[in-house]
Amino acid sequence: MADCFSLQNIFENFKSCLSDNKEVYIKYYIAGWRELVSFMNTLGSLFSFISKDAVTKIQILEKFLTGENGTHYTTVQSMVKYELDNKLVDLTKGGNYPASGCRTLLRLHRALRWLQLFLESLRTSTENSKTSVMCSEAYNASLAQHQPWLIRKAAEMAFCTLPGRDAFFDVMNAGSHQEVIALLGEALPLISEVYQITEDLYAKNNLLDLP
Ligand code: 1PX
């Protein structure tokens, strides 16, 4: 429900993501995504195909985290090491591990780039800016490159139904527009840091194109 959601909750989770030595805790990463999904669920049924896919991916990671090898899934760093050391990742084409932790998290990681771009453009937007345009620009500069035509079209259709900027600021449930903008300014560096650490780790291990 719209009133249960708050922008603050999302950021608290992404803040908790980073350990002292800059590893990314999967537990808080997926908790951040759960909050985002609950926000998306307030936007109407055209978004449900997106939130369903996000939930599926969150559940895959949760299962690893609570499973018998869960300790290896404490951080993104430990997951990458464990799955690579034990050859649990399909590196070039589909094989025995279509739902590895590494490839599943990569999908969310790419979506985090979308979030980063979208929130930054919301933060710097003016009264006349359109959320649908900001959303689709962020999408085209990130996730769209990894998705087929049909999904891109469905996503574009959903974006057109987004509430206008004022209503969008209201549903973020973080006070006045000025307060929302201030909160975005605080939170974006955190999200960017989590994104960049993951990106560097994946790049170093040649994991950015996992099938
Ligand atoms: C405070 C503002 C917050 C806004 C919250 C919005 C949360 C957005 C969550 C998006 C999560 C998307 C996960 C997508 C993962 C993905 O790329 N999956 C594809 C590939 O997976 P596969 O297993 O097949 O390799 C999959 O094909 C995806 C299908 C669903 C469509 C994805 C379209 C993504 C659009 C993201 C923009 C969300 C718009 C929210 C509007 C505010």
Side-chain angles (χ1 to χ4, degrees), residues 93-172:
K93 57 179 168 51
N96 295 332
Y97 303 100
S100 64
C102 286
R103 70 84 67 192
T104 302
L105 193 123
L106 176 62
R107 272 51 185 180
L108 295 178
H109 169 68
R110 289 172 177 163
L112 196 62
R113 173 74 181 150
W114 164 82
L115 184 73
Q116 189 193 348
L117 295 173
F118 177 61
L119 294 182
E120 179 57 17
S121 85
L122 265 185
R123 187 183 74 84
T124 52
S125 62
T126 58
E127 271 165 40
N128 300 326
S129 308
K130 280 191 169 352
T131 44
S132 56
V133 173
M134 293 187 262
C135 186
S136 87
E137 283 175 357
Y139 177 71
N140 288 330
S142 60
L143 273 178
Q145 303 158 24
H146 304 283
Q147 297 180 340
W149 184 86
L150 196 65
I151 293 212
R152 292 204 303 268
K153 289 294 145 197
E156 289 297 338
M157 263 173 62
F159 299 161
C160 289
T161 69
L162 280 175
R165 179 178 176 270
D166 281 351
F168 201 90
F169 273 71
D170 292 341
V171 283
M172 287 201 278

